Each structure stands twice: as C-alpha cells, then as structure tokens.
Amino acid sequence: MRIAGIIPARYASTRFLGKPLALIAGKPLIQHVVERCHEAKSLSRVIVATDDTRIFEAAEKFCDVQMTSPDHPSGSDRIAEVAADHLEFDGVVNIQGDEPLIDPLVIDKVAVALEREEMSTAAARINRAEEYDNPNVVKVVVNSAGKALYFSRRTIPYLRDAASRSVTEQLAAFAFLKHLGIYGYRRETLLRLVQFPVSPLERAEKLEQLRALENGISIAVVEVDYDSIGVDAPEDVGVIEERLKQLGR
C-alpha cells in the first residue's frame, strides 16, 4: 500500500498560540514531528496540512505542505481535504502535530494495520495512577479481535469486584488501555467518514473517533509500548528539550 503521513497543524491553539512554530532545541515543533515521520518505513510521503500561511512558509523548507480550509471542525476533516487531492495514496496516517517524540515504530504499526483493516489506531497500557481518572487521558476497550468497542474520557471498564480497592490495585488487576491520538485510514474510508454529521456520542465525549464507531466503521487497535509526550502549553517546551538531550538529538 502507498500510505501518506499527514500532519494537521493549526496556528490558533487556545492554550498555546502558534504552537507548531514554537522553537524546541532550535527547530520549530512541527519540524521535529516531520523528522520522526521521515524515520517511519511505511510512509511514502509526509505532508503538513495547515490553514495558516506562517506555518506553510516555515514547513515548506523541510516538508511537503498543503493549505487547507480554515473551517474544518476536526483534524480528520483537514486531512481528508488533502487526501481527496491525492488519488495515488491507498491510505493515510493522521499524526498529531504536537508530539515531537512520536516513535516511528508506532506510525509503522498503525500503517501496517491498514493492509487488513479500514481504520486503525494505537493504545498503550496505563501504568500511572494519575492517568487512571484523568479525563484528558482517553481510555479504549477492545474485543478479542483487537477492535475498538468504545472510547471514553471516563475510566472503562468499571471493575465491579475491585471498585473499593486502590487505583494501584485496580491497574494491577486489569490492563486498562490509554488511547494514543494517531489514526490510520483507508483513503475511501476517510472520505466517507467526514461525510457523516457529528454523532451524538462524539458530541458528548468530544472524541471524533466515536463518529466512526457509531456509523459502523470498525477501528483496529494496535497495542504499543510507548508513552506519548505532547506539547500542550509553553511550559512543556523545556520538558521536551530535556528529553531530546537524553536521546542525543
């Protein structure tokens, strides 16, 4: 399969204005993400999708970049505009533009899953107590075939027989999974998905992947040993720079 890695990048972040252009170890954040994508073996091409000329002008120095409409309600809608213009691709991987340490192996696993599935994503086991009841850490439960049953900001499943135990004991009793914000789509699946209106569960949880489940699109979940570190606010820059030093980058 020919698969494109597409990175949606917006300038108008409410918590960190101009985040994709924030300098981290002397490079824009978006460049770090692009470099990790270029290390993935599964991607035929990497494209930044943006609605801002400042990001466009910065990204075109190190990557393919495409201007998109400023009116897209989600990252999936933004990458769908790009995918619609590229008939040569069989699938696309939507890579978050605020994860400069994204593991290329995670990208590859999500991409490879598209050889047999119409949509894919990744998850990692929750090991830290502070993530257990954090609504910003999205949980996913899967069936025996590795397909997503549901995603929620609530902690799922509810351990009825262990509910009175400590969080640490509950994490030891069940393999709770944290959803990672990376998605793979067959091209035709993505173009079909964005035609559906915002679904009731998507509106309730503010999770766009629920639109796929509500409309009968199955999502394969690949489990990975990876803990994502994103840039949500300016104070996260120092954390990433320290981690880059540890990795020798």
Side-chain angles (χ1 to χ4, degrees):
M1 295 181 69
R2 287 180 54 82
I3 298 178
I6 305 180
I7 308 168
R10 294 176 60 250
Y11 191 90
S13 170
T14 54
R15 296 182 62 189
F16 192 171
L17 188 66
K19 180 167 62 173
L21 301 181
L23 290 181
I24 298 179
K27 298 177 185 177
L29 165 59
I30 192 69
Q31 184 174 352
H32 286 281
V33 180
V34 167
E35 289 174 354
R36 300 291 81 73
C37 291
H38 281 151
E39 294 175 13
K41 298 177 180 179
S42 57
L43 302 180
S44 302
R45 188 175 174 189
V46 178
I47 305 170
V48 171
T50 186
D51 59 358
D52 191 274
T53 55
R54 289 162 290 190
I55 296 175
F56 182 96
E57 291 169 358
E60 68 177 347
K61 298 174 184 176
F62 50 80
C63 184
D64 291 334
V65 57
Q66 183 169 327
M67 287 293 293
T68 59
S69 168
D71 300 324
H72 292 307
S74 71
S76 295
D77 293 284
R78 191 173 306 284
I79 70 166
E81 180 182 340
V82 178
D85 293 336
H86 293 280
L87 300 176
E88 71 272 23
F89 294 117
D90 305 300
V92 301
V93 177
N94 180 353
I95 299 140
Q96 298 297 311
D98 59 2
E99 289 195 25
L101 301 177
I102 180 70
D103 187 343
L105 293 177
V106 174
I107 298 172
D108 285 335
K109 286 187 175 183
V110 170
V112 168
L114 293 176
E115 294 178 0
R116 59 186 184 279
E117 308 291 348
E118 58 181 342
M119 187 170 169
S120 58
T121 191
R125 183 161 181 174
I126 295 176
N127 294 310
R128 293 183 292 170
E130 60 266 29
E131 293 183 327
Y132 174 84
D133 203 29
N134 184 344
N136 294 319
V137 176
V138 176
K139 288 78 178 178
V140 58
V141 288
V142 301
N143 65 15
S144 59
K147 304 287 185 67
L149 291 171
Y150 191 65
F151 298 84
S152 182
R153 295 185 183 278
R154 290 276 191 182
T155 303
I156 52 174
Y158 176 77
L159 301 189
R160 183 177 181 276
D161 293 336
S164 61
R165 299 178 190 173
S166 70
V167 169
T168 301
E169 290 176 303
Q170 292 190 52
L171 290 176
F174 187 85
F176 290 91
L177 292 177
K178 169 176 62 175
H179 178 234
L180 305 179
I182 180 171
Y183 300 97
Y185 308 86
R186 293 280 181 98
R187 180 178 176 274
E188 62 273 16
T189 300
L190 173 60
L191 298 182
R192 178 162 52 95
L193 174 62
V194 296
Q195 297 303 311
F196 296 122
V198 173
S199 65
L201 289 175
E202 176 187 7
R203 185 177 296 109
E205 296 254 21
K206 295 296 185 288
L207 297 174
E208 61 184 277
Q209 62 269 39
L210 292 175
R211 190 190 316 179
L213 294 185
E214 284 192 85
N215 285 283
I217 298 173
S218 65
I219 304 175
V221 180
V222 295
E223 189 171 344
V224 297
D225 183 16
Y226 167 71
D227 193 6
S228 61
I229 305 176
V231 177
D232 296 318
E235 53 266 29
D236 295 327
V237 170
V239 176
I240 297 296
E241 288 182 327
E242 184 59 34
R243 182 62 177 148
L244 286 170
K245 287 181 183 178
Q246 295 172 2
L247 293 172
R249 292 177 178 168

